[in-house]
């Protein structure tokens, strides 16, 4: 039975990989300037025209890679938080991590972007500092001496803190000039703005290294799912592992938020969908979650670039429209 479940999980992962590649190829073909599959193939093998190379390598491919990286980061971050807190509603958005990261990014944009100092290296680092500070404050306010931290209390604290961060972000936004104000509004709605190779080359190792660490600790996550008492009896250093995995989750969410805006629902819905597909084993759950998150953002971004909505709609709004019914379903199941 175990072998068949693992085989089914691996098959689903391979299917998701193929589906992601197909959507990526489709995304390279469609847009305001359509390219045929043959033209895209010629570009890939180095026989495309200068215009075709510009469209694929400078416009579409960076955005596709960014969509995948942000989806992986937000998805796995949400998966870690849900596993550690044993609550399907936990995510970087509901815990206020995204809002904390966003506040620091917005402060940086407000103070330094007009000076031409928008650094691809500093942005993820500042977002991480903001997310880490938000996480520390949330855990501090939810902590009760002599008692285990309540996941529900932690989420409610995160929602309250997130609202405060959002209010501060709004105050900063109102002080921006028109161009910066438009950028801030789009970023807060979930806009893949960092679709430049200089930003992607910073985010890529950030996501890959942290994901490797999380996959390496997949057995630890499986053990923690058995309960703290059982995990402690099996030799797991619960506090150390909890802190390490929480920092990894914050880092993944912060890097994704810095370059992709606040994709609130991706970090919550992706792990839940993945768990439905492959079960709770994190050796299968983590890669499945990463692929589901990547697919959600990639499909939504392809739709925004292909379909005319009468305005330039941020990708996050399309994601919100698509997954809100499923979010309401989760709420009804949790109540």
């Amino acid at each position: 039975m175990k072998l068949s479940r693992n085989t089914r999980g691996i098959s689903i992962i391979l299917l998701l990989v193929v589906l992601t590649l197909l959507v990526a190829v489709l995304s390279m073909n469609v847009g305001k300037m359509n390219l045929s599959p043959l033209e895209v193939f010629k570009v890939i093998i180095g026989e495309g025209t200068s215009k075709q190379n510009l469209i694929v390598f400078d416009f579409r491919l960076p955005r596709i890679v960014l969509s995948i990286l942000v989806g992986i980061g937000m998805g796995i971050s949400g998966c870690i938080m849900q596993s550690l807190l044993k609550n399907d509603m936990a995510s970087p958005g509901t815990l206020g991590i995204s809002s904390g990261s966003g506040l620091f990014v917005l402060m940086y944009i407000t103070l330094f972007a007009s000076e031409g100092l928008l650094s691809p290296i500093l942005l993820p680092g500042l977002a991480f500092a903001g997310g880490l500070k938000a996480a520390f404050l949330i855990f501090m306010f939810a902590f009760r001496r002599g008692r285990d931290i309540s996941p529900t209390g932690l989420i409610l604290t995160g929602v309250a803190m997130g609202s405060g961060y959002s209010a501060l972000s709004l105050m900063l936004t109102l002080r921006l000039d028109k161009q910066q104000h438009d950028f801030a509004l789009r970023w807060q709605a979930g806009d893949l703005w960092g679709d430049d190779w200089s930003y992607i080359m910073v985010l890529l190792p950030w996501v890959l290294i942290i994901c490797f660490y999380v996959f390496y600790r997949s057995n630890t996550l499986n053990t923690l799912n058995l309960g703290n008492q059982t995990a402690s009896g099996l030799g797991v250093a619960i506090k150390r592992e909890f802190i390490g995995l929480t920092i990894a989750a914050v880092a993944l969410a912060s890097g994704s938020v810095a370059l992709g805006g606040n994709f609130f629902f991706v970090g919550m819905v992706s792990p839940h969908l993945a768990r439905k597909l492959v079960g709770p084993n994190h050796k299968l759950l983590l890669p499945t979650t990463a692929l589901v998150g990547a697919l959600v953002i990639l499909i939504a971004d392809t739709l925004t670039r292909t379909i005319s909505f009468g305005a330039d709609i941020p990708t996050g709004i399309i994601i919100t429209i698509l997954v809100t019914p499923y979010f309401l379903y989760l709420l009804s199941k949790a109540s």
Side-chain angles (χ1 to χ4, degrees):
M1 180 69 180
K2 184 178 178 182
L3 180 61
S4 63
R5 178 175 292 180
N6 287 342
T7 303
R8 177 177 176 273
I10 293 171
S11 299
I12 289 173
I13 291 171
L14 292 175
L15 180 62
L16 288 172
V17 170
V18 172
L19 187 57
T20 302
L21 291 173
L22 288 175
V23 175
V25 171
L26 176 64
S27 187
M28 278 192 280
N29 283 275
V30 299
K32 295 178 180 177
M33 295 174 285
N34 285 333
L35 295 177
S36 69
L38 180 60
E39 289 173 328
V40 172
F41 178 74
K42 286 182 177 179
V43 170
I44 293 173
I45 64 174
E47 296 182 3
T49 65
S50 58
K51 180 181 177 182
Q52 292 167 351
N53 289 336
L54 180 69
I55 293 172
V56 173
F57 290 123
D58 289 359
F59 296 140
R60 292 186 183 167
L61 193 56
R63 197 169 180 89
I64 290 168
V65 174
L66 181 62
S67 299
I68 293 172
L69 290 176
V70 170
I72 290 173
M74 293 300 290
I76 293 184
S77 177
C79 184
I80 296 170
M81 292 177 181
Q82 290 180 12
S83 297
L84 292 179
L85 299 179
K86 301 175 183 63
N87 191 308
D88 287 345
M89 304 305 294
S91 74
T94 53
L95 288 173
I97 306 299
S98 297
S99 298
S101 299
L103 177 61
F104 270 53
V105 171
L106 194 58
M107 287 172 61
Y108 179 62
I109 292 170
T110 304
L111 296 173
F112 298 109
S114 60
E115 306 292 331
L117 299 175
L118 200 60
S119 167
I121 297 176
L122 279 177
L123 273 174
L126 282 170
F128 176 56
L132 204 58
K133 181 180 179 181
F136 173 77
L137 290 174
I138 291 162
F139 278 101
M140 186 182 72
F141 284 123
F143 177 77
R144 296 292 181 273
R145 186 179 295 275
R147 294 166 54 186
D148 290 336
I149 294 177
S150 165
T152 302
L154 200 62
I155 291 173
L156 290 174
T157 303
V159 170
M161 294 291 294
S163 299
Y165 287 128
S166 297
L168 290 174
S169 297
L170 181 59
M171 288 176 60
L172 284 175
T173 302
L174 294 175
R175 298 179 56 188
L176 301 176
D177 60 38
K178 186 179 186 305
Q179 183 178 357
Q180 290 179 327
H181 183 268
D182 291 343
F183 171 83
L185 288 180
R186 292 182 60 81
W187 176 84
Q188 289 172 337
D191 186 33
L192 293 164
W193 72 273
D195 53 348
D196 184 275
W197 288 116
S198 61
Y199 291 103
I200 293 170
M201 288 300 106
V202 172
L203 184 62
L204 180 62
W206 180 286
V207 170
L208 291 182
I209 292 171
I210 299 172
C211 285
F212 178 80
Y213 165 75
V214 175
F215 290 145
Y216 179 71
R217 309 309 297 172
S218 57
N219 282 333
T220 300
L221 283 167
N222 286 336
T223 307
L224 288 172
N225 265 353
L226 300 175
N228 290 348
Q229 189 172 358
T230 303
S232 180
L234 292 172
V236 175
I238 295 175
K239 287 185 178 180
R240 186 184 68 193
E241 297 293 349
F242 188 92
I243 292 172
L245 288 166
T246 299
I247 291 174
V250 171
L252 283 171
S254 300
S256 302
V257 165
L259 301 183
N262 192 0
F263 291 96
F264 182 89
F265 288 110
V266 176
M268 181 175 59
V269 174
S270 300
H272 198 272
L273 287 171
R275 202 172 286 111
K276 293 281 188 183
L277 291 172
V278 299
N281 182 1
H282 285 81
K283 288 187 176 181
L284 299 172
L285 178 61
L286 288 169
T288 305
T289 300
L291 290 166
V292 170
L295 265 174
V296 168
I297 296 184
L298 189 55
I299 290 171
D301 187 59
T302 303
L303 289 175
T304 60
R305 291 192 298 103
T306 306
I307 302 174
S308 176
F309 294 98
D312 189 9
I313 304 295
T315 305
I317 292 178
I318 300 299
I319 293 175
T320 301
I321 293 171
L322 291 176
V323 304
T324 293
Y326 191 73
F327 174 67
L328 295 174
Y329 165 76
L330 287 182
L331 284 175
S332 65
K333 295 289 286 186
S335 60

